[in-house]
Amino acid sequence: MQTNVRDEIAALLRWYVEQGLDETIGEEPVDRFALPPPAPVAVAVGAPEKATPRVTPAAPVPVAIPRPTSPSLPPRAPVPLESPQLVEDARALARNCGSVAELEAAIRAFEGCALKRTAKNTVFADGIAGAPVMVIGEAPGADEDRQGKPFVGVSGQLMDRMFDAIGMNRQRDLYITNIIFWRPPGNRTPTPAEQAICLAFTRRHIELARPKVLVLAGGTSAKAILDTTEGIMRLRGKWMPVQLDDGSAVPALPTFHPAYLLRTPASKRQSWIDLLAVDKRLRELGVR
Ligand code: URA
């Protein structure tokens, strides 16, 4: 490819990122204006059986996941799930857990997420349950899968050094987990269905660990926990309340994923600002 064409493409991609388009969702572009309008699939609750539109098994059923979120954020569209029942199962199991230890046991015994079949280990959490800061990343990578602990690879080591710079560590101040408990093959982004299943547990995890603040590492985690389509470029550095099902709320700060910082060291400056904001918030809460 000629240099000037490559430069133009790089400039276009940079512009996309600046506009908040920081993820691709397919290999090929789709001209949605050229597509025929979608067939209506709404099912009238309580309607007589023959009036109910037929949904072929291949069509995933959109499921609205009741996740209260910040009113200032654009909500995600209902997630098309192959098996909404699995999300319900996960939610019911999670609700029945009265402690972090019970939740961990329930997740380890859970067979409803296909990622478990290809993973070596369930990666639950590291650090101190009940610590003031709960960090939530995306999903285990190869090192985490091997060791069964979150953020132990190079990006996790960078995260440790960053928290160390504000005097915080896993042995005392941090509780670290991911929205996904099993490594996605090839480190691909977890599907909406995988996210919805694991999120049922993660939301209960937050309720049971009762952190003072959440740090959401990366766009996938931030979008899932805050239930929004907004990209990390817009979300980072802004505190948002996460409303939990038990009625409590926790302030959450989206920040860049450490793997992104390894690729884009110039962004460390913004992450440092985020860390200082965490430190300040904890001092205001009287925790430090
Ligand atoms: N990336 C994550 O999001 N989580 C990990 O545990 C490791 C890498």
Side-chain angles (χ1 to χ4, degrees):
M1 198 186 295
Q2 284 178 339
T3 317
N4 56 350
V5 176
R6 221 179 17 230
D7 288 349
E8 273 179 30
I9 293 173
L12 180 63
L13 288 174
R14 258 196 310 278
W15 182 81
Y16 279 155
V17 169
E18 279 159 18
Q19 301 308 309
L21 281 173
D22 54 357
E23 275 174 35
T24 53
I25 55 169
E27 294 296 322
E28 299 290 337
V30 178
D31 180 358
R32 297 198 185 275
F33 292 104
L35 296 177
V41 291
V43 176
V45 176
E49 212 172 62
K50 61 182 168 37
T52 305
R54 291 173 68 83
V55 177
T56 63
V61 183
V63 172
I65 297 175
R67 282 178 273 164
T69 182
S70 164
S72 60
L73 291 175
R76 301 213 287 187
V79 182
L81 296 180
E82 292 77 14
S83 180
Q85 187 56 46
L86 291 173
V87 180
E88 286 308 321
D89 292 351
R91 218 180 274 148
L93 276 169
R95 226 182 357 250
N96 280 336
C97 295
S99 67
V100 169
E102 278 178 34
L103 185 75
E104 176 172 2
I107 292 169
R108 289 186 186 283
F110 185 68
E111 299 296 337
C113 182
L115 292 175
K116 189 176 186 183
R117 285 174 225 145
T118 48
K120 290 190 178 68
N121 271 305
T122 299
V123 178
F124 179 65
D126 194 24
I128 309 291
V133 179
M134 184 168 183
V135 181
I136 308 184
E138 179 176 327
D143 293 314
E144 291 76 19
D145 187 34
R146 214 173 303 117
Q147 297 186 40
K149 279 187 189 180
F151 282 107
V152 290
V154 276
S155 66
Q157 289 158 21
L158 172 61
M159 197 172 81
D160 284 346
R161 289 198 297 279
M162 290 168 62
F163 275 107
D164 188 51
I166 57 164
M168 300 185 83
N169 61 52
R170 304 185 187 220
Q171 289 71 43
R172 195 186 53 206
D173 321 278
L174 304 176
Y175 187 51
I176 299 175
T177 187
N178 286 303
I179 54 165
I180 300 286
F181 302 100
W182 300 278
R183 182 192 181 198
N187 296 344
R188 65 163 169 75
T189 301
T191 65
E194 290 157 358
Q195 290 188 37
I197 291 166
C198 289
L199 206 55
F201 291 115
T202 303
R203 289 181 60 84
R204 183 72 182 137
H205 201 176
I206 301 169
E207 285 173 2
L208 294 168
R210 303 192 138 276
K212 298 288 184 213
V213 299
L214 292 174
V215 172
L216 308 177
T220 305
S221 162
K223 285 190 221 178
I225 300 284
L226 297 169
D227 192 17
T228 180
T229 51
E230 203 86 270
I232 189 66
M233 293 294 163
R234 285 178 195 274
L235 291 173
R236 78 137 276 284
K238 296 182 193 142
W239 287 100
M240 315 262 173
V242 174
Q243 301 289 338
L244 297 165
D245 303 332
D246 67 359
S248 65
V250 195
L253 189 70
T255 192
F256 291 138
H257 194 284
Y260 172 77
L261 297 178
L262 288 171
R263 295 193 300 273
T264 322
S267 301
K268 284 183 185 167
R269 190 176 155 276
Q270 286 155 296
S271 294
W272 176 240
I273 293 170
D274 296 346
L275 279 179
L276 293 180
V278 170
D279 184 47
K280 179 165 176 271
R281 188 75 179 230
L282 292 175
R283 288 180 198 281
E284 284 164 4
L285 292 168
V287 182
R288 303 204 79 195

